[in-house]
Amino acid sequence: PLPPVEHAGGWALELSTIFGASEYVNPPNGRSLFVPEDFAARGIKLTFTEPADFRYDCGRYEFVERLSIVDVMMWSPPSTIKAYLDTLKHG
C-alpha cells in the first residue's frame, strides 16, 4: 500500500522509494508536478529529459511522431530502443 500523497508528483516519489530507485526520469512537461527537494531528501535523483526524436518503421502504417512508448515497443526490438536511449543526455 502507498502512503497518502499531497500532490500528483508524490506518486512517483513514493513508487520510486518503494522500488529502491536511485533516479526518476520524466518528460519536461511534468516538471511542475514534482518537488525536487522531496526527491533529494530521499536520495533519489530527479531528472527531466527532452522528448526523444525516435523514428522507426511501422510497416504499412503511417509513422506518428511521439505517439506512445507502447507503439515504439511494438515496432522496435529492445536492443534498438536501448541503444537509442543510451545516446540521450538527461538534464
Side-chain angles (χ1 to χ4, degrees), residues 17-79:
T17 301
I18 288 169
F19 288 107
S22 59
E23 182 176 15
Y24 183 83
V25 180
N26 202 78
N29 290 344
R31 192 177 299 266
S32 65
L33 298 176
F34 300 96
V35 179
E37 298 80 14
D38 292 350
F39 282 80
R42 295 195 193 176
I44 301 170
K45 180 180 178 184
L46 178 60
T47 303
F48 296 94
T49 185
E50 291 303 314
D53 184 23
F54 186 75
R55 300 199 172 269
Y56 46 92
D57 180 38
C58 298
R60 63 186 173 130
Y61 299 99
E62 180 182 349
F63 173 76
V64 177
E65 186 176 11
R66 298 181 183 140
L67 179 61
S68 76
I69 189 61
V70 174
D71 193 66
V72 170
M73 293 168 62
M74 283 181 8
W75 295 103
S76 307
S79 59

